[in-house]
Amino acid sequence: MTPWLDAAQQRSWRALVEGAGSLLARLDKHLRDSHGLTLAEYEILVHLSESHLHMSELAAQVSHSRARVTQTVDRLVRAGLVERSPCPQDRRGVHAALTGTGRVRLEAAARDHVLEVRRLAVDVLDPDELTAVGTAMAKIRTVAQD
Amino acid sequence: MTPWLDAAQQRSWRALVEGAGSLLARLDKHLRDSHGLTLAEYEILVHLSESHLHMSELAAQVSHSRARVTQTVDRLVRAGLVERSPCPQDRRGVHAALTGTGRVRLEAAARDHVLEVRRLAVDVLDPDELTAVGTAMAKIRTVAQD
DNA sequence: CGCCACTTGTTGACATGACAACTACACCGG
DNA sequence: CCGGTGTAGTTGTCATGTCAACAAGTGGCG
């Protein structure tokens, strides 16, 4: 009574999982090698570049555990890319913000990262194929996220 | 001189990366919780269920480092799901094969895994959307793989 | 044969992630 | 104001992944 996948679904599915894995692994490796940043660190920096945030908001936005965000931010602080500051309104809270060098490093990394993104995904797909993947993965994200 | 992504590309791209991340995280967690298997372990078992393999071939098929495969197989051997045996033709080589219990455990896990796959991906997409994602991710895989 | 370059699989050191326990603080209802 | 409940962030422990170095074996070529 197991609702197996048919051959075509099987193929699509394996391509999806394996492609997703290879893609993320590649992006991580590229950022490590050329900028000394983890993909996780990079994503945190990106979110901090858009607005200063509390740790919890940050965790929610990147959908990582608070513990993980603590550690990642630790590293970024040690590297001088991020600053922590206590939050006056809620003394439990901690405010995280990019430093000047953090912004510089992020911009450098981002420029290079985009090239890799193009090479690995945007340029390999037709424009409408990309948007199709986008809407499909957005659906998956909402189901897989919570 | 930086070829940035336009707004639509940006959206598609973020959906792709975040969706891919959430998806893999979910699958891993589901397998851990309900079957005590890592996603990496599961994939190894799947490939071994199709044919007995040398460690290197295995590593190539799942696109993990040989070191990683060694460790993963170590765990599977300790759990009694896989057997190692020396290869007569090439005395450097090691042959890995599913045990009886390994096959049983895999089949149980697979049944459940497919349900999760449906829930997270197959059922949330229209059939043609799934195939579109499949072909697109296959392209990405070939570029990101090597 | 004997040497050298390459491959195979493993190992150990280290980085990163998951998870549960903990402290400090906030907030609600009495 | 006080006590209990919940939230924010951190910490420690353990599982897993990465990487470089290694021993053992292969294969070509003098």
Side-chain angles (χ1 to χ4, degrees):
Chain A
M1 213 42 289
T2 303
W4 279 114
L5 303 178
D6 65 41
Q9 287 175 325
Q10 189 78 250
R11 264 197 309 283
S12 300
W13 166 247
R14 291 197 77 76
L16 173 49
V17 186
E18 292 168 11
S22 305
L23 179 60
L24 294 176
R26 270 295 179 139
L27 293 173
D28 188 60
K29 184 154 177 27
H30 176 255
L31 282 170
R32 280 175 197 274
D33 292 352
S34 21
H35 298 277
L37 290 174
T38 300
L39 182 55
E41 290 167 349
Y42 177 80
E43 286 175 341
I44 295 249
L45 291 180
V46 168
H47 282 273
L48 284 183
S49 78
E50 291 162 0
S51 60
H52 304 179
L53 291 168
H54 283 203
M55 304 295 277
S56 292
E57 301 172 314
L58 201 46
Q61 290 194 10
V62 298
S63 45
H64 288 166
S65 67
R66 279 170 307 158
R68 184 175 175 183
V69 171
T70 293
Q71 293 172 306
T72 309
V73 169
D74 276 350
R75 269 176 271 142
L76 292 171
V77 168
R78 254 180 267 130
L81 309 185
V82 168
E83 271 179 342
R84 268 193 247 247
S85 55
C87 173
Q89 285 81 27
D90 185 340
R91 276 185 301 172
R92 293 168 302 180
V94 173
H95 211 63
L98 274 190
T99 63
T101 43
R103 188 166 297 278
V104 171
R105 283 281 300 279
L106 173 58
E107 278 166 8
R111 252 185 279 283
D112 213 16
H113 183 66
V114 174
L115 293 175
E116 189 70 359
V117 166
R118 287 196 171 280
R119 201 177 71 72
L120 294 175
V122 177
D123 288 349
V124 220
L125 306 177
D126 317 323
D128 53 333
E129 212 171 14
L130 177 61
T131 55
V133 171
T135 56
M137 293 306 287
K139 291 184 189 174
I140 290 178
R141 179 181 46 179
T142 54
V143 181
Q145 196 131 257
D146 67 321
Chain B
M1 201 49 263
T2 303
W4 279 113
L5 303 179
D6 64 41
Q9 287 175 324
Q10 189 78 251
R11 263 198 308 285
S12 300
W13 166 248
R14 291 199 77 77
L16 174 49
V17 186
E18 291 168 11
S22 305
L23 180 59
L24 295 176
R26 269 297 180 138
L27 293 172
D28 188 61
K29 183 151 177 31
H30 176 255
L31 281 170
R32 279 175 197 274
D33 291 351
S34 22
H35 299 277
L37 289 174
T38 300
L39 181 55
E41 290 168 349
Y42 177 79
E43 285 176 341
I44 296 249
L45 291 180
V46 168
H47 282 272
L48 284 182
S49 79
E50 291 162 0
S51 61
H52 304 180
L53 291 167
H54 283 202
M55 303 295 276
S56 293
E57 300 172 314
L58 202 45
Q61 289 194 10
V62 298
S63 46
H64 288 166
S65 67
R66 279 170 307 157
R68 183 174 175 185
V69 171
T70 293
Q71 292 172 308
T72 309
V73 169
D74 276 351
R75 268 176 272 143
L76 292 170
V77 168
R78 255 180 266 129
L81 309 184
V82 168
E83 270 179 343
R84 268 193 248 246
S85 55
C87 172
Q89 285 82 30
D90 186 339
R91 277 187 300 172
R92 294 169 301 182
V94 173
H95 211 63
L98 273 189
T99 63
T101 43
R103 187 166 297 278
V104 172
R105 283 280 300 279
L106 172 58
E107 279 165 7
R111 251 184 281 282
D112 213 16
H113 183 65
V114 174
L115 293 175
E116 189 72 359
V117 167
R118 286 195 172 282
R119 200 176 72 72
L120 293 176
V122 177
D123 288 351
V124 273
L125 305 178
D126 317 324
D128 54 332
E129 210 171 16
L130 177 61
T131 57
V133 172
T135 56
M137 293 306 288
K139 291 184 189 175
I140 290 178
R141 179 181 47 180
T142 54
V143 181
Q145 194 132 256
D146 66 322

